[in-house]
Amino acid sequence: MSEQESSLYEEALKPLKKAAAVLNLEPDIIEALSSPERILIVSIPIKMDDGKIRVFTGYRVQHNTARGPAKGGIRYHPGVCLDEVKSLAFWMSVKNGVVGVPYGGGKGGITCDPKEMSQGELERLTRGYAAAIAKFVGPDQDVPAPDVGTNAQIMGWFADEYYKIAGKYVPGVITAKPLGIGGSRGRGTATGRGAFFATLEAAKTFKIPLKGTRVSIQGYGNVARPIAKYLYELGCKIVAVSDSVGGAYNPEGMHPIKLADFKTKTRSVKGFPGSKEINTIDPITVDCDVLIPAALENQITEKNANDVKAKLIVEEANGPTTPEADKILYEKDVVIVPDVLANAGGVTVSYFEWVQNRMGYYWSDEEVDEKLKQVMTKAFKDVYQTAKQHQIETSFTMQPLQMDMRTAAYVTAVKKIVDAMQALGRV
Ligand code: NAD
């Protein structure tokens, strides 16, 4: 493992350490929380379309299962490595604690470039991965879902392979499946919808007007597109977007659906009619009021945090802000709705799907939306209350910070996880 790989997990643990200090946790408990329960590394040999065999590496990390089965997505991306999957699994434990769904945290991934693979190759890879980890997943053990580079079809292939091995139909083994095989209504847009509800609460709480507000979004995939649409419908202007190829900027605003259609046709938002070309990283620092990182980790760093113009950051991506950038932004009075809260709508509707699968009874769009709104609104209020209750001191400043939504979210979640570990007699 390279130095760079080992540092992401170390960085990911920093907010845990701050929360642990607030909660007065003993070092042995912090160590237990910092150590994933199970790490699987599998080799998946696949026959490619040209007849050659390629061996892919897959991971599944179950970080903590004190509050329930492990739960978290599967990422297909060239940058997937053990350290990234460990970090993502850890964030899932925290996220599931923040919103209070009865799950622990897990995450998986395969180091591959899905954009370079045919549908047949992706299906064989997914089936190979499912077979390799089948013994360790299941509705009561570990329940995967999509993440970067994966989608409902991939969930369907995974489910089918698992059913063959289990010898029965167990739709609760994986979530965000297509509707016809037990998927939940509202799952496709759930992360964006949940982030939208969190944005509404943040705007109300911190008195940030949303009408006419300029929004900048980095990444324009599964989670970015829905929130762009909801905010546009509310009267916000989408002034900047980017993806892995490039970006588009227009201070007059861009239509979110036309942007999505343009990206579908050309594979990028770059070159969107009427816009100025910008780089993939530029949405972080363009002139805007609300910034939504919705791509990958470590995008807001000590190098660009000082140039952030937004007053509100809603983290749809996991881990987009480094701890050093967090400090700079806090001192600039920027409000951050942290990832473990802002993007929890996805896992919340995944939980609804799992509940519906176990009941064999399915809810309407309206029911799902109402329940999601309740969960996200309550989670935001719980975190805000925690932030108000605790005078949170940080290692980077001698000033007591009165409001740090990330630490508050970690305090909220870690308390629940530790309570569960203690009730089980694990610590
Ligand atoms: P996706 O693959 O659908 O979209 C990712 C987007 O980011 C794409 O538009 C891609 O081009 C862009 N991107 C990649 N690298 C980039 C770069 N360097 N600069 C700018 N853009 C870049 O993935 P997604 O499901 O939308 O996930 C995005 C983020 O949201 C990830 O951090 C993921 O972990 C997180 N997340 C996803 C879900 C979910 O339900 N899918 C839930 C919670 C959190």
Side-chain angles (χ1 to χ4, degrees):
M1 192 186 293
S2 75
E3 217 172 278
Q4 198 199 356
E5 284 173 352
S6 67
S7 72
L8 182 62
Y9 191 60
E10 289 302 311
E11 293 292 297
L13 293 178
K14 283 183 178 169
L16 166 69
K17 289 179 181 149
K18 276 170 75 180
V22 174
L23 292 166
N24 282 322
L25 295 183
E26 297 295 331
D28 52 351
I29 295 192
I30 301 173
E31 197 190 336
L33 284 168
S34 309
S35 314
E37 286 174 17
R38 178 179 277 148
I39 294 175
L40 301 171
I41 304 179
V42 295
S43 297
I44 314 158
I46 297 300
K47 189 177 268 186
M48 305 302 280
D49 290 348
D50 64 7
K52 294 205 176 100
I53 301 291
R54 247 185 89 184
V55 182
F56 292 87
T57 304
Y59 305 90
R60 187 75 193 166
V61 174
Q62 295 164 355
H63 170 262
N64 188 291
T65 58
R67 297 187 61 258
K71 179 93 188 83
I74 303 167
R75 180 173 289 193
Y76 286 6
H77 191 271
V80 165
C81 61
L82 179 58
D83 218 55
E84 180 181 68
V85 181
K86 271 168 69 180
S87 306
L88 290 162
F90 164 69
W91 287 324
M92 286 309 300
S93 295
V94 178
K95 190 181 306 179
N96 293 333
V98 169
V99 279
V101 292
Y103 292 131
K107 202 86 180 192
I110 302 177
T111 316
C112 65
D113 188 351
K115 290 182 191 154
E116 299 295 315
M117 296 173 72
S118 70
Q119 286 298 295
E121 289 168 343
L122 279 173
E123 177 172 355
R124 294 193 289 281
L125 180 64
T126 302
R127 289 183 182 279
Y129 177 65
I133 65 169
K135 261 192 232 156
F136 302 95
V137 296
D140 298 312
Q141 271 175 288
D142 182 357
V143 187
D147 191 72
V148 174
T150 53
N151 54 28
Q153 174 61 77
I154 288 174
M155 302 302 106
W157 292 327
F158 187 109
D160 187 54
E161 196 63 27
Y162 182 83
Y163 300 166
K164 285 180 188 157
I165 293 164
K168 55 188 173 183
Y169 201 87
V170 213
V173 65
I174 197 161
T175 57
K177 300 178 292 293
L179 270 183
I181 56 165
S184 175
R185 296 201 167 274
R187 179 59 184 89
T189 51
T191 307
R193 188 75 177 154
F196 173 67
F197 291 137
T199 308
L200 293 184
E201 280 307 304
K204 209 165 34 169
T205 308
F206 297 102
K207 304 200 174 21
I208 299 167
L210 284 179
K211 206 163 166 49
T213 283
R214 297 160 308 156
V215 177
S216 172
I217 307 177
Q218 190 204 26
Y220 210 60
N222 289 327
V223 304
R225 295 174 191 205
I227 197 169
K229 175 174 167 282
Y230 301 131
L231 288 174
Y232 175 83
E233 286 167 355
L234 206 69
C236 297
K237 276 191 207 169
I238 312 300
V239 295
V241 288
S242 73
D243 54 33
S244 58
V245 178
Y249 174 73
N250 184 342
E252 299 308 317
M254 294 173 282
H255 194 285
I257 296 176
K258 288 185 186 159
L259 271 169
D261 290 345
F262 184 78
K263 180 167 161 69
T264 306
K265 264 193 229 127
T266 66
R267 301 188 79 178
S268 175
V269 294
K270 183 178 149 185
F272 183 68
S275 73
K276 182 181 145 211
E277 269 185 33
I278 54 173
N279 290 325
T280 57
I281 193 72
D282 290 344
I284 303 294
T285 50
V286 297
D287 200 7
C288 69
D289 306 296
V290 177
L291 166 61
I292 305 179
L296 294 172
E297 305 86 47
N298 288 345
Q299 299 301 305
I300 312 178
T301 65
E302 60 192 327
K303 289 198 186 116
N304 59 9
N306 263 317
D307 300 324
V308 167
K309 317 279 186 314
K311 278 282 151 221
L312 173 66
I313 299 179
V314 180
E315 295 182 337
E316 276 208 301
N318 284 306
T321 311
T322 65
E324 292 72 23
D326 244 351
K327 172 189 179 271
I328 296 168
L329 293 167
Y330 189 80
E331 285 168 358
K332 273 166 60 101
D333 242 357
V334 178
V335 174
I336 300 180
V337 184
D339 49 4
V340 289
L341 169 60
N343 71 32
V347 73
T348 301
V349 178
S350 273
Y351 164 60
F352 296 162
E353 180 173 329
W354 179 80
V355 169
Q356 292 169 79
N357 290 157
R358 290 162 85 95
M359 290 192 300
Y361 176 75
Y362 290 84
W363 305 338
S364 66
D365 283 309
E366 292 74 21
E367 281 172 290
V368 170
D369 201 53
E370 188 48 40
K371 287 179 168 63
L372 174 62
K373 186 177 181 183
Q374 279 173 18
V375 170
M376 292 304 298
T377 307
K378 181 178 181 310
F380 185 94
K381 288 185 171 158
D382 287 350
V383 169
Y384 181 66
Q385 279 310 317
T386 306
K388 280 215 309 194
Q389 272 163 21
H390 292 278
Q391 284 286 89
I392 294 165
E393 298 223 17
T394 70
S395 53
F396 10 83
T397 164
M398 299 312 287
Q399 304 279 324
L401 296 179
Q402 291 169 11
M403 182 59 58
D404 170 355
M405 291 287 281
R406 191 183 315 279
T407 308
Y410 275 69
V411 168
T412 308
V414 168
K415 186 171 178 332
K416 292 182 198 172
I417 300 168
V418 173
D419 284 351
M421 289 167 85
Q422 284 171 336
L424 290 165
R426 292 187 187 176
V427 290

